Amino acid sequence: MTTENFQVDLRGIVEILSHHLYSSPRVFVRELIQNARDALVARERLGQSAASGQQAPIELIVDEPRRALLVRDAGIGLTEQEARQLLSTIGASSKRGEFAQARRDYLGQFGIGLLSCFLVADQIEVRSRSARESNAPTMHSGLEAATAPSP
């Protein structure tokens, strides 16, 4: 058996999902807020409170000159390995294993929250620090929408 790689046009997939799951491309804001809220719930499940120094548990900051939206939370965070595993896999969710026992605690369910950002952006930047590890380094990753080659 041979293994073949294939390309995925993320913008195309997100457009398909938006037509079948969502009614508006602005859904990405709701998805990011849901992800931030779920990260706070997951951190509380560890018995940790949110880090101090933030204005609110979830902050939305509009950077008009850069045409960017920053969503900041003090949730559980991701390690670099978790980010690679969860953010680069369509439909992956860090909550999936916990759903059987705590489905009502989390808002997000499909593992496409970050992916929905490609409805409005070609690039996404993720910075995260895991609350599961003491002195964990900050993970920084840039994601770009893939474009399908012209026929």
Side-chain angles (χ1 to χ4, degrees), residues 66-145:
R66 289 181 52 216
R67 296 185 54 160
L69 173 66
L70 172 67
V71 179
R72 184 182 298 161
D73 66 73
I76 196 161
L78 298 171
T79 65
E80 189 171 341
Q81 180 181 356
E82 289 169 334
R84 272 197 202 106
Q85 181 182 18
L86 298 170
L87 301 182
S88 65
T89 305
I90 297 169
S93 174
S94 61
K95 300 164 279 194
R96 195 152 333 274
E98 300 174 37
F99 270 163
Q101 60 194 3
R103 188 173 187 102
R104 287 181 227 120
D105 291 344
Y106 294 114
L107 296 174
Q109 297 181 24
F110 303 111
I112 58 172
L114 185 67
L115 186 63
S116 69
C117 294
F118 286 117
L119 284 168
V120 297
D122 292 326
Q123 296 180 328
I124 300 168
E125 185 176 320
V126 177
R127 292 183 188 192
S128 187
R129 182 179 309 135
S130 177
R132 291 182 203 94
E133 300 176 7
S134 61
N135 300 320
T138 299
M139 180 281 304
H140 182 207
S141 180
L143 306 167
E144 292 189 15

Side-chain angles (χ1 to χ4, degrees), residues 52-71:
S52 61
Q54 275 193 238
Q55 298 295 322
I58 300 171
E59 295 176 280
L60 298 176
I61 302 164
V62 177
D63 184 342
E64 288 188 36
R66 289 181 52 216
R67 296 185 54 160
L69 173 66
L70 172 67
V71 179

Side-chain angles (χ1 to χ4, degrees), residues 7-96:
Q7 293 185 359
V8 175
D9 181 347
L10 291 178
R11 187 174 303 280
I13 287 176
V14 172
E15 286 177 16
I16 290 168
L17 292 172
S18 71
H19 292 294
H20 294 285
L21 291 177
Y22 306 119
S23 59
S24 166
R26 293 182 302 270
V27 71
F28 80 96
V29 175
R30 183 193 72 205
E31 290 289 335
L32 292 176
I33 292 170
Q34 281 181 189
N35 285 353
R37 189 260 184 202
D38 288 349
L40 291 169
V41 169
R43 186 171 187 147
E44 289 172 4
R45 292 180 137 224
L46 285 179
Q48 297 180 8
S49 60
S52 61
Q54 275 193 238
Q55 298 295 322
I58 300 171
E59 295 176 280
L60 298 176
I61 302 164
V62 177
D63 184 342
E64 288 188 36
R66 289 181 52 216
R67 296 185 54 160
L69 173 66
L70 172 67
V71 179
R72 184 182 298 161
D73 66 73
I76 196 161
L78 298 171
T79 65
E80 189 171 341
Q81 180 181 356
E82 289 169 334
R84 272 197 202 106
Q85 181 182 18
L86 298 170
L87 301 182
S88 65
T89 305
I90 297 169
S93 174
S94 61
K95 300 164 279 194
R96 195 152 333 274

